[in-house]
Amino acid sequence: MATDIGVIGMGVMGANLARNFARHGFSVSVYDTNQAQVDRFIEAHAAEGEFAGTLYLQDFVDSLQRPRRILMMVPAGAPTDAAIDELLPLLSPDDVLLDGGNSHFADTRRREEAIRPSGVRFFGVGVSGGEEGALWGPSIMPGGDPEGYQVIGPLLESIAARAGDEPCCAWLGPDGAGHFVKMVHNGIEYADMQFIAETYDLLRNVGGLTPAEIAAVFRAWNAGRLESYLIEIAAEVLAHTDVRTGRAFVDVVLDAAGQKGTGRWTVETALDLGMPAPAIATAVDARALSGQSAIRAAVAAAIDGPAIPTVDRQRLIADLEEALWASKVVCYAQGMSLISEASARYDWQIDPATAVSLWRAGCIIRARLLSDIHDAFTADPTIPTLLAHPGIAAGVNDAQDAWRRVVGLSVAAGVPAPGITSALQYVDVMRRPVGSTNVIQGLRDFFGAHTYRRNDVEGVFHTQWSGDRTEVARG
């Protein structure tokens, strides 16, 4: 009997997604260029559902019912291109091919355009939730041909996480829309983790709390409006004791964070689109700075920091709860503005409420806050920024005093909180109708005749700085 879907790539994510499909009653063909991977998978999981292990790619393709539905879970970049090149000649029009890896959305757009003439329907599919999510219900962000989604959508929605009765999977738009939304998801994830780390740092090094005490604070916060997967697991990490030494786990972990590139992609894309995301950029920078161990050691030996001020612990905890919530709102606002700008640029017509709805369960950034954000975009999908929504703005206004105390304390104590500070500064920049870039424009015109616009007359102008300083129109 022909199987319902095929999965290429029997690494942990591919294997767990195949098991997830089987658990929901679908028969699954599996293939990997490493036959041992397929053999181990079948041996370990044959009892969980109906699997067909295949030795050759042609056999894999032939084992599938038509139109064929194939999910590739292979490394992004050249390996994905190679897999497509090998697979495409074996497929037929109306077959559906999905790339579930962490591909750059521009690569997905390129691949979709190249594959389209063959009649094969190509999808870029963001998958979030890690190994456990892949097995028990991830957040799935597909982008591709809308008619092709009618073929593959029911299967994806059946294995996705659920927020209430709704699957965390929906068609987002054509070509690269799905991978773009996943990229922004990862950028928000970077910022969220940076905010949490800074909160820990201030609680410990200014408030004097132990990791176990901070874990208790996070658990209390997780029962309120800060409820989220990342707050939940931060409490678990901070409460953990190292089995080798008996010390707090965080005290034996090197202070140098890695990254796989999706956060950087988000920042680069934001700059390309002219829609900066400074809170996300700060988080990416912070990870890069964490790896500068030799430079940090040299600076630490050369420059002294201030004395740590005495603080009221309970006041600090309360202030940080407000600052953390408001900072999270800002990084979501920046991410959603980026999605909106890209949607307009590439004619994806992404519905912001739909995009947010896919993050409410299964993914790394799932949080109670997302329900409020979903409601805000459902009520008005055209709001220029999440920060302009009355309900969200009211919360940010209420948090401002505490947020500013946290940033001031960070500076006074010499305990850096660049992410939380950047988020507040973003609000301050955006809430001011007139800032300081008028001076920058004057400087640019002075040294390079780059021209400027006036706020009282239409047109482009230049002042003859080296001459009589009269103003001339330049178009």
Side-chain angles (χ1 to χ4, degrees):
M1 181 181 295
T3 57
D4 297 312
I5 189 167
V7 178
I8 296 177
M10 286 293 101
V12 173
M13 288 293 290
N16 281 0
L17 285 166
R19 294 170 63 192
N20 195 347
F21 281 120
R23 193 175 66 253
H24 285 84
F26 300 107
S27 53
V28 186
S29 294
V30 296
Y31 173 80
D32 195 287
T33 53
N34 181 351
Q35 181 60 31
Q37 290 272 72
V38 175
D39 294 341
R40 284 193 292 268
F41 176 83
I42 295 296
E43 182 179 355
H45 306 296
E48 296 180 14
E50 185 181 341
F51 297 108
T54 54
L55 178 60
Y56 301 107
L57 189 59
Q58 182 69 67
D59 294 339
F60 169 80
V61 171
D62 290 343
S63 71
L64 298 165
Q65 66 172 268
R66 298 193 181 200
R68 302 177 182 96
R69 294 171 285 200
I70 298 173
L71 172 63
M72 299 186 302
M73 297 300 298
V74 300
T80 298
D81 285 323
I84 292 171
D85 289 343
E86 188 176 4
L87 186 59
L88 196 59
L90 307 180
L91 302 182
S92 303
D94 295 329
D95 287 348
V96 180
L97 179 60
L98 304 97
D99 170 19
N102 259 337
S103 291
H104 193 286
F105 80 95
D107 287 338
T108 303
R109 299 189 76 223
R110 168 180 58 80
R111 291 167 183 148
E112 193 277 335
E113 183 178 13
I115 291 170
R116 194 185 311 149
S118 71
V120 172
R121 304 179 190 277
F122 183 72
F123 278 75
V125 181
V127 180
S128 178
E131 298 175 14
E132 288 296 304
L135 181 59
W136 300 110
S139 168
I140 305 177
M141 294 155 264
D145 181 84
E147 293 183 12
Y149 189 74
Q150 302 306 311
V151 176
I152 192 61
L155 277 75
L156 296 180
E157 291 176 13
S158 70
I159 70 165
R162 305 193 78 81
D165 294 331
E166 298 179 358
C168 291
C169 174
W171 181 74
L172 287 167
D175 56 75
H179 272 146
F180 190 94
V181 170
K182 174 58 162 58
M183 180 190 72
V184 172
H185 163 285
N186 286 18
I188 292 170
E189 178 185 308
Y190 272 59
D192 203 341
M193 286 193 283
Q194 180 66 27
F195 301 150
I196 290 170
E198 292 172 9
T199 300
Y200 151 80
D201 201 2
L202 289 164
L203 285 170
R204 186 165 193 187
N205 292 301
V206 179
L209 280 72
T210 66
E213 290 172 330
I214 299 170
V217 170
F218 278 24
R219 288 194 178 110
W221 286 350
N222 201 46
R225 67 176 179 170
L226 283 175
E227 178 189 354
S228 68
Y229 175 68
L230 285 172
I231 291 290
E232 175 189 340
I233 65 172
E236 294 296 320
V237 169
L238 290 167
H240 183 58
T241 300
D242 176 52
V243 294
R244 292 191 186 184
T245 64
R247 298 169 62 195
F249 170 73
V250 291
D251 287 343
V252 301
V253 176
L254 188 67
D255 177 35
Q259 52 184 310
K260 292 187 176 180
T262 49
R264 186 183 71 251
W265 290 350
T266 307
V267 175
E268 291 170 347
T269 303
L271 293 173
D272 288 342
L273 292 172
M275 187 61 69
I280 298 172
T282 299
V284 174
D285 286 344
R287 291 200 193 186
L289 286 168
S290 74
Q292 302 294 309
S293 55
I295 297 174
R296 291 170 65 189
V299 173
I303 299 178
D304 298 326
I308 301 295
T310 301
V311 299
D312 181 319
R313 279 190 175 188
Q314 294 308 310
R315 175 69 172 271
L316 176 62
I317 291 170
D319 282 355
L320 278 167
E321 182 178 11
E322 296 285 341
L324 182 54
W325 180 87
S327 297
K328 286 171 177 279
V329 168
V330 168
C331 78
Y332 279 108
Q334 292 176 5
M336 295 309 297
S337 291
L338 183 53
I339 289 173
S340 177
E341 182 67 21
S343 180
R345 174 77 60 90
Y346 300 117
D347 195 25
W348 286 333
Q349 300 183 33
I350 297 173
D351 175 53
T354 298
V356 169
S357 73
L358 306 190
W359 299 340
R360 290 180 296 171
C363 71
I364 304 303
I365 63 171
R366 59 187 185 266
R368 178 181 295 189
L369 174 60
L370 283 162
S371 293
D372 295 332
I373 297 174
H374 176 264
D375 291 345
F377 282 113
T378 299
D380 184 2
T382 65
I383 51 175
T385 170
L386 180 63
L387 295 173
H389 183 270
I392 299 295
V396 171
N397 277 326
D398 289 344
Q400 272 202 67
D401 288 348
W403 200 0
R404 295 184 190 283
R405 283 194 296 269
V406 165
V407 171
L409 179 62
S410 163
V411 174
V415 177
I420 291 172
T421 302
S422 173
L424 177 59
Q425 289 179 337
Y426 179 82
V427 171
D428 281 341
V429 168
M430 300 303 280
R431 70 177 178 79
R432 298 180 69 208
V434 178
S436 59
T437 50
N438 45 3
V439 175
I440 293 173
Q441 287 299 85
L443 295 173
R444 292 178 72 244
D445 190 59
F446 190 104
F447 68 70
H450 292 297
T451 72
Y452 53 87
R453 293 182 181 274
R454 300 178 60 95
N455 59 23
D456 56 353
V457 179
E458 290 293 325
V460 177
F461 302 92
H462 165 63
T463 292
Q464 300 186 84
W465 298 100
S466 59
D468 61 4
R469 300 205 173 188
T470 57
E471 183 178 77
V472 294
R474 286 289 179 86

